[in-house]
Amino acid sequence: EVQLVESGGGLVQPGGSLRLSCAASGFTFSSYEMNWVRQAPGKGLEWVSYISSSGGIIYYADSVKGRFTISRDNAKKSLYLQMNSLRAEDTAVYYCARLESTTLRYFGYWGQGTLVTVSS
Amino acid sequence: SYVLTQPPSVSVAPGKTARITCGGNNIGSKSVHWYQQKPGQAPVLVIYYDTDRPSGIPERFSGSNSGNTATLTISRVEAGDEADYYCQVWDSSSDHYVFGTGTKVTVL
């Protein structure tokens, strides 16, 4: 069974940093492209970042580019999101999501999410 | 950047048909995917590649895509279909994934 479990969320002050993790199991992690998607309270889904299976290709949403860094450790079957210079508008539930097809590009599996709150 | 527009809400009586639109410039040239999200839960894929259903998704869910509008259709609506629905595409011009604004489906 495919499982994605996020961790690392919490309360952080504006300007602070936080590192999210996503532990994968039930599939060959190194074969799949991965993403982070977030959802602010009461708002819609917003794609945050993408990383290829090898880690060699990375994309970011304009809203986080230069502040967030996505990475992965295939040996540990884990995905990460380093978040720096956090702002109040970064407050959201952060989901890791597995990309199902390089050509069709849809998210077939999602974790349950981890809440990040940026507040003083 | 590419924008996907959905109606904020759709209301439907049980047993009737709900249609949720997703508007985007020439969206018919892209592959559209749909997600269902119930309160407090992660999104679940219900339609991919415009019309395909993942295993476990009822046949009552169907999709179409042409011109500037993609549509998710839920036939014989049940109380359990009450949720938020989001469309999604890949915008190759910006290397960005894009979600629609979301539609809340209310079953009367």
Side-chain angles (χ1 to χ4, degrees), chain A residues 49-105:
Chain A
S49 184
Y50 156 94
I51 188 168
S52 64
S53 56
S54 67
I57 300 174
I58 286 173
Y59 304 130
Y60 295 102
D62 296 344
S63 57
V64 306
K65 196 169 186 178
R67 300 187 298 122
F68 289 11
T69 302
I70 191 172
S71 63
R72 64 190 296 162
D73 186 332
N74 286 341
K76 294 184 177 179
K77 300 181 183 180
S78 293
L79 175 71
Y80 306 102
L81 186 67
Q82 177 67 43
M83 304 185 296
N84 298 331
S85 302
L86 283 162
R87 308 166 179 167
E89 53 264 37
D90 295 318
T91 294
V93 173
Y94 285 74
Y95 297 100
C96 64
R98 191 179 90 171
L99 199 69
E100 295 307 301
S101 166
T102 300
T103 51
L104 299 180
R105 297 184 178 270

Side-chain angles (χ1 to χ4, degrees), chain B residues 18-22 34-36 46-47 50 60-64 70-74 85-86 105:
Chain B
R19 292 181 180 84
I20 304 162
T21 59
C22 175
W34 292 90
Y35 304 87
Q36 176 194 70
V46 293
I47 292 288
D50 298 342
R60 300 184 297 103
F61 289 81
S62 62
S64 63
T71 303
L72 173 69
T73 301
I74 310 173
Y85 291 83
Y86 297 89
V105 170

Side-chain angles (χ1 to χ4, degrees), chain B residues 17-66:
Chain B
T17 298
R19 292 181 180 84
I20 304 162
T21 59
C22 175
N25 184 36
N26 197 26
I27 194 174
S29 66
K30 300 180 182 297
S31 294
V32 179
H33 320 297
W34 292 90
Y35 304 87
Q36 176 194 70
Q37 186 181 33
K38 296 182 178 179
Q41 298 184 19
V44 172
L45 180 73
V46 293
I47 292 288
Y48 66 99
Y49 194 23
D50 298 342
T51 61
D52 292 351
R53 276 178 292 103
S55 61
I57 300 302
E59 291 183 8
R60 300 184 297 103
F61 289 81
S62 62
S64 63
N65 184 20
S66 179

